[in-house]
Amino acid sequence: MVKRYVDFREQRGAELYDLQKDPDSYYQWYSRGKEYAASNKLDFSPPTTPEELFTIVKQIVEKFKNYIEMGRGYEVLWAEGRPRAEKVSQRVFAGVAKPYCEFTDIDISKEVNLGAGPVDFKFSRGLSKRALIEVKLASNSKFWNGLTAQLPEYMRTEEITDGLFMVVVYSLKDLRRYNHIQGLVSEVNKQNGFNIEIELIDARPRKSASKL
C-alpha cells in the first residue's frame, strides 16, 4: 500500500503553490500587516510594567480587529468564498502585530512550546513583563478547550497572569457560539486568579457600499 502511494506521488509530480492567490497566506500576511501598521501607528513608549505591556498587547489586538472589520482585512481570511484555516488568521495577526512590537520594543514569539504544548503568541519585555494570546476560530471543534484548558495551562506553566483569548467568527452560527463565552471567562479567571480577556474578531464578509 505504501509503495503504491509513493509511486502515485512520483507519477503525479510536485504540486505547484499558487503564489498569486496565496491560499495559506505564506507571504502576504507580513507585507499587508506591515503596511497597515505603518499607516495606523500606536502612540506608546516601551512598557515598564506588566500592566503597561498588557495594555499595549490589547491595543495591538484592537488594531488587528479594526484591520479585519473596518479595513477590509477580512478579505485575506477568505478564499474563493470559503473561510481559510485557523493558521491563516494567526499569520495575518502576526503580520499586524510584529511591526507594532518593533515600535514598542516588545518581543513577540509565535507557537512557543511551554511544556504543555505550543501557545499561539507570547509577548514579552524581560522576564517580568509577559502576556499570552491564543487565537481560535469559533468553528474549531476544540474552541472551548482553548479557553478552559489550553490557555490556562500555558499561563500556569509560565506563571503569567495576563492572557487574551481571540475568537475569529466567520458566520452567524459562529457568533452565537461566541455569545456563550462571557460567563465562562469569568469562571476561569475566578478559579485560577488570572486576568484573561476575550476579543471578538468578526471576519464575516461585508457587502460593498455599491450593493447596499
Side-chain angles (χ1 to χ4, degrees):
M1 183 65 72
V2 174
K3 186 178 184 304
R4 285 183 182 178
Y5 178 75
V6 172
D7 291 342
F8 167 75
R9 295 301 302 176
E10 288 179 346
Q11 292 173 10
R12 187 174 179 180
E15 295 182 2
L16 296 177
Y17 184 75
D18 192 328
L19 293 176
Q20 184 173 0
K21 293 182 178 179
D22 191 22
D24 291 323
S25 194
Y26 280 121
Y27 70 93
Q28 291 183 17
W29 61 270
Y30 183 72
S31 59
R32 292 192 181 191
K34 187 174 183 179
E35 180 180 339
Y36 180 82
S39 58
N40 295 271
K41 294 183 179 180
L42 278 173
D43 186 20
F44 276 108
S45 300
T48 59
T49 66
E51 293 77 15
E52 288 181 1
L53 173 74
F54 196 44
T55 295
I56 293 175
V57 169
K58 289 188 290 184
Q59 287 292 322
I60 291 173
V61 171
E62 188 65 27
K63 288 292 187 182
F64 175 67
K65 178 181 176 70
N66 289 340
Y67 170 58
I68 296 299
E69 298 181 359
M70 309 299 292
R72 302 186 68 85
Y74 66 88
E75 294 175 346
V76 185
L77 302 182
W78 288 79
E80 299 179 350
R82 299 173 65 88
R84 287 176 164 177
E86 191 170 88
K87 61 185 177 182
V88 176
S89 296
Q90 294 166 353
R91 287 173 185 153
V92 176
F93 173 68
V96 173
K98 279 180 178 291
Y100 287 125
C101 288
E102 292 172 0
F103 298 154
T104 50
D105 196 26
I106 294 173
D107 179 65
I108 175 175
S109 304
K110 189 176 184 299
E111 295 184 341
V112 182
N113 196 317
L114 302 180
V119 66
D120 289 336
F121 295 96
K122 178 181 177 181
F123 295 79
S124 62
R125 191 165 192 262
L127 291 175
S128 62
K129 297 174 285 295
R130 297 173 297 163
L132 301 180
I133 287 184
E134 189 72 8
V135 181
K136 278 283 185 289
L137 300 185
S139 58
N140 189 321
S141 60
K142 297 182 179 180
F143 172 74
W144 298 112
N145 186 61
L147 174 62
T148 61
Q150 281 181 297
L151 184 56
E153 183 60 29
Y154 299 148
M155 295 173 71
R156 278 192 292 269
T157 300
E158 285 289 287
E159 298 182 347
I160 292 175
T161 303
D162 298 317
L164 195 144
F165 191 68
M166 191 189 307
V167 183
V168 181
V169 301
Y170 280 132
S171 66
L172 184 59
K173 181 180 179 181
D174 289 349
L175 190 58
R176 293 195 184 103
R177 198 176 195 194
Y178 169 82
N179 289 336
H180 294 287
I181 201 174
Q182 299 282 356
L184 192 57
V185 172
S186 298
E187 188 63 28
V188 170
N189 283 335
K190 183 178 179 181
Q191 290 178 356
N192 297 278
F194 292 149
N195 177 34
I196 296 177
E197 298 191 18
I198 56 174
E199 187 66 68
L200 170 70
I201 308 298
D202 189 349
R204 291 178 295 170
R206 275 68 163 170
K207 290 183 179 180
S208 64
S210 61
K211 295 182 179 180
L212 294 177

